[in-house]
Amino acid sequence: MNFELSEDQVAFSDMARAFAQNELEPHAAQWDAEAFFPVDVIRKAGELGFCSLYAPERVGGLGLSRLDASIIFEQLSMGCTSTTAYLTIHNMVTWMLADFGTSEAVEQWGEKLATGELLGSYCLTEPNAGSDAASLKTTAKRDGDDYVLNGSKMFISGAGSTDFLVVMARTGGEGPSGVSAFAVDAKASGISYGRKEDKMGWNSQPTRMITFEDVRVPANHLLGNEGDGFKIAMKGLDGGRINIATCSIGTAQQAINKAREYMLERKQFGKRLADFQALQFRMADMVTELVAARQLVRMAATKLDAGHPDATTYCAMAKRFATDVGFKVCDEALQLYGGNGYIKEYPMERYVRDSRVHRILEGTNEIMRLIISRRVLSDGASEL
C-alpha cells in the first residue's frame, strides 16, 4: 500500500487548494450568514472539472478515481464545507446520469451537468422514509410514453435553485425491488418547492421539500431498468459516504490549522497557549485521530475503486469514523479558542455547525454501525 500521493494527485490537490483559498474561504462566512447559494462560484469550479470529477470523459467528466476525488474534496472543504458538500452531491448526480442514463437523457443533460452549466439535486429522502429508504412512497406510474410522478421529497440540497433532479420513486411493489430512478427536469410542470429550511449549518446551499403532482417524465429518462433504483441509490451512497467523510476531514484539518496559529499567538498567564503541555497533548490527539480518519477514508475509496466485495462495509466504517472524528476535532479546536471560538468573528463555530450534519446524512452513523455489524456477524463472515 502506497501512502504517498502521485504527481497527478499532488497537482489536483494543489489546484483544489488554490481554488479553496481564492474562491471559497474568503466568502464562506458571508455565504453562511446570508444563506447565499454561490452558483457563480460553483460554475467556476465546474470550469476546472470539479463538477464531474469521477463522471466519465465521454460526457465531459474527468474520469478520476474516487480516491482522486476524495483528495480534491478534502482541499475544497478547507475553504467552505457547505459549498463543497453541495459539489459532492452534484458530482454524484452527474455520475448517476452518465452511468445509468439512456443516450437521450445523457445527451440532454450530461455535458451541461459535467461543466456546471446546469446544477443537480438528489431526491431520495421522504418525510416518512429517511434511514428506511426502501420504504419510500413517491410513485411513478407508466402512462403511455411517460411515467407520472406523485409524492414528496424532503431535505433536498439545492432544491429550488437547481436544474436537474435524480428522483427515486416506486414503480413496483413494496421493498427495495419496487424502486426505480429517474432523470427529471427540475422545472417540469407539477413540481413545487417548499420554503427554504432554516438550518443549523450548511447555509450556503438551500434545502427544501419538493412536491411532485402528476409530473410527466419521458419513459426514456428512466435510469437503468425498472426496479434498479434502490441499487443505484446504494451505489451512489457508497461514494457519497466517502465524499461526506472527506468533507469532515478537510474541515477538521482547517480547524487544526487555525487552532495552531491561534495557539502560537495567543498568550495567557504570560505564556503562549502552545507552551501549555495540556494543550500540546490535546493537539497531538486531534492530529493523530484526524490522520487515522484520513487513512481509513482513503483506504475505503481504494476499495470502492477496486470493486472490492467489502467496499460497502469499508465505506460505512470510513463514514462513521471520519464524521465522528471530524466533528470532535472541530469541537476541540473551538475549545482551544476559549470564548473567541464561540463568536462569529472566528470560523470555529461555523466549522462545528457545518460538520455536525455529516453524522446524519448519507445514512446516519447508527445505520453505518448496523451495516458494519451485519457484515461482521454474518454466517461464514471472513476477516475484513
Side-chain angles (χ1 to χ4, degrees), residues 35 37 121-123 125 152-162 192-199 205-211:
F37 188 40
S121 293
Y122 179 61
C123 306
T125 301
S152 60
K153 301 290 182 178
M154 69 183 302
F155 301 145
I156 305 305
S157 291
S161 300
T162 52
S192 59
Y193 296 92
R195 64 178 176 84
K196 185 165 69 172
E197 301 291 354
D198 189 9
K199 306 190 297 291
Q205 51 170 294
T207 301
R208 290 184 172 89
M209 177 177 280
I210 306 180
T211 301

Side-chain angles (χ1 to χ4, degrees), residues 349-367:
E349 57 83 32
R350 173 163 47 87
Y351 297 160
V352 170
R353 289 187 290 107
D354 280 346
S355 63
R356 179 60 183 87
V357 73
H358 299 175
R359 300 163 72 192
I360 298 171
L361 48 79
E362 303 289 4
T364 66
N365 284 5
E366 289 73 23
I367 294 296

Side-chain angles (χ1 to χ4, degrees), residues 50-69:
F50 294 156
C51 284
S52 53
L53 292 175
Y54 48 87
E57 294 180 6
R58 58 184 167 78
V59 299
L62 295 184
L64 300 180
S65 68
R66 298 306 176 96
L67 175 59
D68 294 336

Side-chain angles (χ1 to χ4, degrees), residues 303-323:
K303 297 285 188 185
L304 187 59
D305 286 329
H308 191 281
D310 280 321
T312 293
T313 307
Y314 280 99
C315 290
M317 289 192 290
K319 194 270 181 181
R320 200 294 296 167
F321 188 69
T323 58

Side-chain angles (χ1 to χ4, degrees), residues 118-177:
L118 298 181
L119 301 181
S121 293
Y122 179 61
C123 306
L124 175 63
T125 301
E126 297 183 0
N128 295 307
S131 295
D132 186 12
S135 67
L136 62 84
K137 300 300 182 185
T138 296
T139 60
K141 296 184 178 180
R142 186 68 182 257
D143 182 23
D145 292 332
D146 297 331
Y147 286 89
V148 181
L149 283 177
N150 282 283
S152 60
K153 301 290 182 178
M154 69 183 302
F155 301 145
I156 305 305
S157 291
S161 300
T162 52
D163 311 283
F164 172 81
L165 311 173
V166 168
V167 181
M168 301 297 166
R170 189 164 299 285
T171 53
E174 295 298 312
S177 62

Side-chain angles (χ1 to χ4, degrees), residues 7-67:
E7 289 186 8
D8 286 345
Q9 288 169 336
V10 170
F12 279 124
S13 179
D14 289 344
M15 182 171 64
R17 178 175 297 183
F19 187 85
Q21 291 174 342
N22 297 327
E23 302 289 346
L24 300 179
E25 186 178 9
H27 311 292
Q30 182 180 356
W31 295 341
D32 173 68
E34 298 176 359
F36 178 75
F37 188 40
V39 171
D40 288 345
V41 174
I42 291 169
R43 290 191 172 126
K44 283 185 181 180
E47 293 172 4
L48 297 175
F50 294 156
C51 284
S52 53
L53 292 175
Y54 48 87
E57 294 180 6
R58 58 184 167 78
V59 299
L62 295 184
L64 300 180
S65 68
R66 298 306 176 96
L67 175 59

Side-chain angles (χ1 to χ4, degrees), residues 48-276:
L48 297 175
F50 294 156
C51 284
S52 53
L53 292 175
Y54 48 87
E57 294 180 6
R58 58 184 167 78
V59 299
L62 295 184
L64 300 180
S65 68
R66 298 306 176 96
L67 175 59
D68 294 336
S70 177
I71 291 164
I72 291 168
F73 286 139
E74 180 177 344
Q75 294 299 325
L76 293 176
S77 61
M78 291 171 68
C80 181
T81 311
S82 174
T83 304
T84 303
Y86 171 74
L87 280 170
T88 72
I89 295 167
H90 178 87
N91 269 266
M92 179 173 67
V93 166
T94 304
W95 165 77
M96 283 182 170
L97 173 71
D99 263 34
F100 302 103
T102 62
S103 58
E104 294 88 351
V106 171
E107 182 177 356
Q108 181 172 347
W109 285 300
E111 289 189 8
K112 291 181 179 181
L113 288 170
T115 60
E117 179 181 346
L118 298 181
L119 301 181
S121 293
Y122 179 61
C123 306
L124 175 63
T125 301
E126 297 183 0
N128 295 307
S131 295
D132 186 12
S135 67
L136 62 84
K137 300 300 182 185
T138 296
T139 60
K141 296 184 178 180
R142 186 68 182 257
D143 182 23
D145 292 332
D146 297 331
Y147 286 89
V148 181
L149 283 177
N150 282 283
S152 60
K153 301 290 182 178
M154 69 183 302
F155 301 145
I156 305 305
S157 291
S161 300
T162 52
D163 311 283
F164 172 81
L165 311 173
V166 168
V167 181
M168 301 297 166
R170 189 164 299 285
T171 53
E174 295 298 312
S177 62
V179 177
S180 299
F182 296 89
V184 180
D185 185 337
K187 297 175 176 59
S189 177
I191 297 179
S192 59
Y193 296 92
R195 64 178 176 84
K196 185 165 69 172
E197 301 291 354
D198 189 9
K199 306 190 297 291
M200 173 181 174
W202 270 32
N203 289 317
S204 73
Q205 51 170 294
T207 301
R208 290 184 172 89
M209 177 177 280
I210 306 180
T211 301
F212 303 91
E213 296 183 9
D214 295 329
V215 178
R216 301 192 76 86
V217 178
N220 61 14
H221 288 181
L222 176 71
L223 301 181
N225 300 311
E226 277 199 14
D228 286 348
F230 192 77
K231 295 176 184 177
I232 293 171
M234 293 305 103
K235 286 182 178 179
L237 284 174
D238 279 344
R241 287 162 185 162
I242 294 295
N243 291 344
I244 210 61
T246 299
C247 287
S248 287
I249 291 168
T251 307
Q253 181 64 66
Q254 187 71 338
I256 286 174
N257 294 346
K258 298 291 185 182
R260 176 185 178 276
E261 294 173 3
Y262 190 79
M263 289 174 66
L264 291 170
E265 295 173 358
R266 176 77 167 175
K267 290 186 177 181
Q268 292 285 278
F269 305 103
K271 298 169 61 177
R272 300 180 309 170
L273 294 184
D275 294 327
F276 289 91

